[in-house]
């Protein structure tokens, strides 16, 4: 079932952001050509007076100050109400109405956590579950640091032999079973990368293993390694060997938000369900590459060799270990891990600029909580930009400007545990959101490197590309790029990915709201500094020394978001391109067609979906013409009709109920891949069932998906 053989270099590119997967992009680039051809741009860009005010309002010194504030205090989900209040206060100073929205959600923290390797000769090695304290990085030594952990992990005190399982995909486990390696009752040792970490834990659990350890391998750092002559952080761009990647191991392809209130808002008196279905029961622990190496070493010359395994990502980047699977007789690991879970408050911050039309709303959001004291990239590069964005719009408001559509800013809490803050807000504002929301724009890791990428709905793509051409790209060690457009095209060759569930857009998108997710990452293959993802070194010190020393990338990303927000909120006609949306759906259809051709149900009849897409395409062309005429004739009645349809049509995609076994995923166009967990599957209702070999359900979901597309097409229909 695992078809794409992705070259190692591609795998090492851009794999970060909360739970985003840039690998998916490169896999896509192998499968079909991008929809957007290279376009000419006018340089320098010409901006209108209002655009100029917005763009010039961004100040790298202020952004650096906001970043410094956010990255100097514990702000793990539910830990820091004063950061929420400070954010609201800043937005008020900028001229917005702002308030806190509190939700009681299920949180988990480790009570204690310990991992010990015991070799056959009785010698032991104790893993270090915090990074080294560096004098060059002030927040690496903050007091009361919680050991690195996996949120939603199970608890346990288990001692067992352990087996190296490569990336920890289902196919990796199959290789071990085929080779006759006994894995039941043992502990899995997986390397991070390629698939979502929680899926690795789930695969270990499903194979009867009693614990899971996930370590960072230098493989993902491409050429930027110490072995290759680069110095490690803080002296150079390579990975500090003590870095640990924290993260949630919840079953993210099954739900979003609070696992005790799946599908409804977490209010104080809400009934609470059991989390068992949504979280692993076995304990799991993240390790640094230094400690991972010690565990790998102890397995040498036992079990399946890397060459025998013959799996992508199995042989890692250490030159001096063989990556044999083990188990090695008498070599055991003890995981002693106690997680505690309870209900605790989290605080979203909501900021508002009222529009003249109250039934059209644009939302821009970013999460505020971070795994570590810093969080300079994830997520506070986005949070710093959002404050500057509030000030930019404040300048227009000060001049008496009122947007046509209401603008809402959201600073979400507890994203890292599982998109809790945003999901509970969305769930507590349905159906108002489904009657008014025009779009949701998501910023998470706005900057962890220079390379800009997007995932998002088809109707928004041409407009987003036009705005990229208006923003100058800062100078830096990454080469000469005139505008964000030039950088974006260089990175993606013109591709915008479909949406999975890696960040706070998930619950908006799954309720049929047009969404775009925006960010910039580094690419080790291009020599960018290694981003210490979800680690103590994702700090202000790292950001201001390595990733964005002048905060120029932050500035450019902020300017882009400002223009996107401004045009969506204030253009007479919402700047959607429906014929392009149709083209994107057709390209997803052709992806599905390929999946099916390679599957056991290769004769599945896709005609109903194909016919629905033809209707959609026809209606999309038609409304695009109507919009042109309405604009040319300044026909305000017709403009109102077009806007209402542009706002609403995507609700059709979410009109057929939830996907089987994952009811909060309702958008028939895309959802996180069940097995991958990061990247998106297109037409997931069909894809899930085809992959599981369930013919009748696959047929049913072809019909349901077709019906949803028809529903979207009906909403677009205009009689003239
Ligand atoms: C909350 O964050 C701020 C700024 O980052 C910090 O000054 C403050 O100490 C933090 N509060 C708590 C309770 O950790
Ligand atoms: C975990 O088990 C080991 C023996 O296997 C024991 O020494 C240790 O005290 C246990 N930890 C706790 C917290 O009970
Ligand atoms: C490794 O797997 C690939 C396909 O995934 C196959 O083409 C190749 O022959 C295999 N190599 C060995 C040594 O088995
Ligand atoms: C293996 O290589 C790493 C650097 O990649 C080094 O830190 C480590 O000490 C080496 N271990 C052994 C046993 O040679
Ligand atoms: C914005 O609109 C809401 C809803 O109509 C209203 O309650 C609120 O007072 C308005 N806020 C401002 C600042 O005008
Ligand atoms: C991206 O830029 C690099 C270096 O400037 C260049 O070698 C490469 O051809 C560019 N790629 C694209 C797709 O423009
Ligand atoms: C702001 O940008 C300018 C120009 O790149 C640079 O000289 C300055 O150091 C930057 N300020 C900060 C605080 O990074
Ligand atoms: C679907 O795939 C089959 C081959 O498996 C091909 O013949 C057909 O043209 C494809 N249809 C579309 C619409 O892409
Ligand atoms: C369009 O019509 C509205 C009111 O009917 C008017 O206020 C506006 O100035 C007109 N715009 C243009 C570009 O003619
Ligand atoms: Zn994030």
């Amino acid at each position: 079932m695992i078809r794409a053989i992705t070259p190692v270099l591609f795998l090492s590119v851009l794999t970060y952001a909360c739970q985003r997967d840039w690998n998916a992009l490169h896999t896509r680039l192998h499968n079909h050509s991008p929809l957007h051809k290279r376009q000419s741009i006018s340089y320098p860009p010409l901006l209108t007076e209002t655009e100029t005010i917005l763009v010039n309002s961004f100040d790298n010194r202020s952004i650096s100050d906001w970043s410094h504030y956010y990255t100097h205090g514990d702000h793990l989900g539910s830990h820091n109400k004063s950061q929420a209040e400070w954010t609201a206060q800043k937005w008020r100073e900028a001229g917005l109405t702002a308030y806190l929205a509190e939700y009681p959600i299920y949180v988990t923290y480790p009570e204690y956590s310990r991992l010990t390797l015991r070799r056959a000769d009785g010698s032991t090695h104790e893993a270090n579950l915090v990074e080294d304290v560096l004098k060059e990085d002030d927040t690496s030594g903050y007091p009361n640091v919680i050991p690195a952990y996996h949120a939603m992990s199970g608890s346990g005190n288990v001692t067992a032999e352990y087996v190296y399982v490569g990336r920890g995909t289902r196919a990796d486990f199959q290789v071990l079973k085929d080779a006759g390696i006994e894995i039941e009752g043992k502990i899995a040792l997986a390397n991070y990368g390629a698939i979502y970490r929680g899926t690795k834990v789930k695969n270990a659990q499903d194979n009867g293993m009693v614990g899971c350890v996930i370590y960072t391998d230098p493989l993902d750092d491409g050429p930027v390694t110490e072995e290759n002559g680069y110095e490690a952080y803080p002296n150079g761009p390579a990975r500090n060997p003590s870095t640990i990647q924290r993260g949630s191991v919840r079953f993210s392809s099954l739900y979003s938000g609070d696992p005790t209130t799946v599908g409804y808002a977490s209010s104080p008196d809400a009934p609470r369900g059991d989390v068992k279905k949504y979280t692993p029961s076995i304990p799991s622990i993240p390790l640094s590459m230094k400690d991972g190496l010690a565990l790998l070493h102890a397995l040498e010359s036992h079990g399946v060799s890397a060459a025998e395994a013959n799996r992508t990502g199995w042989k890692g980047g250490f030159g001096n270990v063989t990556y044999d699977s083990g188990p090695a007789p008498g070599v055991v690991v003890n995981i002693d891990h106690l997680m505690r879970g309870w209900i605790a408050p989290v605080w979203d911050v909501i900021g508002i600029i009222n529009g003249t039309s109250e039934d059209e709303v644009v939302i821009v959001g970013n999460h505020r909580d971070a795994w570590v004291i810093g969080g300079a990239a994830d997520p506070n590069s986005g949070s710093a930009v959002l404050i500057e964005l509030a000030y930019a719009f404040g300048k227009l408001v000060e001049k008496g400007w009122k947007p046509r559509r209401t603008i809402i800013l959201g600073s979400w809490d507890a994203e890292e545990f599982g998109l809790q803050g945003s999901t509970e807000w969305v769930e507590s504002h349905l159906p108002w959101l489904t009657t008014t929301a025009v779009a949701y724009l998501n910023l998470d890791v706005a900057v962890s490197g220079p390379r800009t990428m997007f995932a998002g709905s088809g109707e928004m793509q041409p407009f987003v590309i036009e705005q990229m051409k208006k923003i100058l790209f800062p100078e830096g060690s990454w080469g000469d790029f005139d505008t964000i457009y030039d950088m974006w095209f260089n990175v993606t060759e013109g591709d915008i990915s479909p949406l999975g569930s890696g960040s706070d857009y998930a619950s908006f998108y799954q309720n049929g709201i047009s969404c775009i997710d925006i960010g910039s990452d580094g690419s080790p293959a291009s020599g960018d500094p290694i981003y210490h993802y979800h680690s103590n070194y994702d700090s202000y010190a790292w950001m201001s020394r390595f990733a964005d020393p002048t905060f120029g990338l932050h500035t450019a990303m902020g300017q882009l978001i400002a223009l996107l927000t401004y045009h969506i909120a204030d253009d007479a006609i919402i700047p959607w391109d429906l014929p392009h949306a149709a083209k994107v759906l057709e390209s997803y259809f052709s992806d599905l067609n390929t999946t099916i051709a390679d599957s056991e149900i290769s004769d599945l009849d896709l005609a109903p979906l194909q016919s629905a897409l033809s209707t959609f395409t026809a209606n999309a062309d038609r409304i695009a013409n109507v919009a042109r005429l309405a604009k040319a004739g300044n026909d305000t009645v017709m403009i109102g009709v077009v806007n209402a349809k542009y706002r609403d049509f995507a609700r059709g995609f979410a009109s057929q109920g939830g996907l089987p076994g994952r009811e909060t995923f309702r958008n028939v166009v895309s959802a996180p891949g069940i097995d991958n967990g990061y990247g998106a599957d297109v037409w997931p209702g069909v894809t899930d069932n085809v992959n599981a070999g369930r013919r009748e359900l696959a047929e049913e979901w072809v019909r349901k998906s077709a019906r949803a597309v028809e529903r979207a097409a009906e909403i677009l229909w205009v009689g003239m």
Side-chain angles (χ1 to χ4, degrees), residues 631-645:
K631 194 173 171 193
N634 195 22
D635 179 341
T636 46
V637 173
M638 216 52 210
I639 287 175
V641 169
V642 169
N643 280 335
K645 289 175 178 296

Side-chain angles (χ1 to χ4, degrees), residues 227 293 297 318 320:
E227 273 185 3
L293 181 63
H297 239 292
F318 286 121
N320 55 7

Side-chain angles (χ1 to χ4, degrees), residues 345-400:
V346 296
W347 306 276
D348 293 337
V349 187
I350 304 300
I352 303 177
I353 301 174
N354 276 346
T356 46
S357 163
E358 284 183 10
D359 55 10
E360 292 174 358
V361 174
V362 181
I363 305 124
V364 186
N366 152 261
H367 74 92
R368 195 181 59 253
D369 64 301
W371 280 110
V372 292
I373 304 298
D378 185 1
N380 302 120
S381 53
S383 321
V385 158
L386 218 52
I387 295 206
E388 203 62 3
L389 182 82
Y391 278 102
F393 279 100
K395 293 213 169 91
L396 297 185
V397 171
E398 210 175 82
K399 293 181 197 297

